[in-house]
Amino acid sequence: AEHARSASFLIGDGVIPGNSGRGYVLRRLIRRGMLFGRDLGSEDPMLSVISKTVSDHMGHVYPELVSNFEFIQDVLEKEEKSFSRTLEFGAQVLAGMIDYRRDNPDAAEVMKDGKKLKSPSGDDGRFVGTRQAITAIERLVEAGDSDAIDDWRDHVSGTEAFVLYDTYGYPFEVSDEVAGEAGLSVDREGFDAEMEAQRERGRA
């Protein structure tokens, strides 16, 4: 309810969801509100519904909530639908990454014995996540980084988090929250390094 109220006030003041500045703050508010709603079991867009209550209860003091109501509701609906699509596939990919680690804690040992890890085929999000998890452990084994290999079981790499963000639009903060609920951490430094490398490629 508080996220819907804050988002309604911001949109009523002319802020639009975006990737920087005030727009980014608004987008994060909407997305966090949606995640909390999903935790409560609501799969349908709800912030746009709650915005009517915000307008009804506070519009007598803040008239822009009434005069801009259709615009507020429309912006919220579009952002919620867009993020729902992002969440659905991104969540499947991340679940594949997490589940593979849980189901194959000895993946590094298998590779050290000279065996190849079996990578599933298909476009399902979980298969995509599984392939990313396998690629991550293969790179660590090739590099011979024993500490990182041990961490792999409980640690989503920065590269995997970047793939979720860059390819599937899944925000790092959401990856961090979801992985945390499963008892895993996400490599923020590695993610930031991947982001900077992308900026360098863009500048080049």
Side-chain angles (χ1 to χ4, degrees):
E2 288 299 311
H3 286 71
R5 182 181 63 81
S6 301
S8 294
F9 271 83
L10 282 166
I11 297 167
D13 280 343
V15 181
I16 301 296
N19 294 322
S20 62
R22 298 181 307 166
Y24 180 73
V25 172
L26 173 59
R27 178 161 279 166
R28 288 291 299 132
L29 265 172
I30 294 170
R31 291 181 173 188
R32 284 189 65 83
M34 287 180 65
L35 289 171
F36 287 133
R38 285 177 176 243
D39 286 344
L40 295 171
S42 176
E43 295 296 323
D44 297 322
M46 70 197 140
L47 300 180
S48 53
V49 175
I50 299 174
S51 68
K52 178 70 170 80
T53 304
V54 174
S55 177
D56 289 346
H57 282 263
M58 307 192 85
H60 67 288
V61 181
Y62 301 96
E64 64 272 14
L65 293 174
V66 177
S67 60
N68 295 337
F69 173 68
E70 288 185 10
F71 177 69
I72 292 168
Q73 193 170 49
D74 185 53
V75 169
L76 283 169
E77 280 180 0
K78 286 179 178 172
E79 188 68 15
E80 285 182 294
K81 286 177 182 175
S82 172
F83 190 50
S84 289
R85 291 190 294 271
T86 294
L87 277 179
E88 285 166 16
F89 195 79
Q92 290 176 15
V93 176
L94 181 55
M97 295 172 178
I98 293 169
D99 290 346
Y100 186 80
R101 285 167 164 81
R102 284 181 176 162
D103 297 340
N104 301 276
D106 60 343
E109 285 72 23
V110 170
M111 287 189 66
K112 287 177 184 176
D113 290 339
K115 296 178 183 174
K116 195 160 180 66
L117 300 175
K118 186 176 179 183
S119 183
S121 59
D123 295 328
D124 177 83
R126 285 181 180 271
F127 290 163
V128 173
T130 296
R131 289 197 298 272
Q132 289 295 326
I134 289 172
T135 299
I137 191 62
E138 286 175 343
R139 287 176 180 162
L140 294 174
V141 170
E142 285 172 15
D145 189 341
S146 58
D147 289 339
I149 290 169
D150 291 338
D151 288 344
W152 173 85
R153 298 177 186 90
D154 305 309
H155 196 75
V156 175
S157 72
T159 302
E160 289 169 281
F162 180 74
V163 168
L164 281 166
Y165 170 79
D166 190 52
T167 306
Y168 304 108
Y170 204 68
F172 176 89
E173 293 83 0
V174 178
S175 296
D176 196 37
E177 288 169 16
V178 173
E181 289 169 5
L184 279 72
S185 60
V186 183
D187 178 9
R188 179 79 212 206
E189 287 185 12
F191 175 81
D192 289 341
E194 292 284 353
M195 285 290 290
E196 184 56 34
Q198 186 193 54
R199 291 188 195 103
E200 288 294 333
R201 287 192 295 272
R203 284 191 283 265

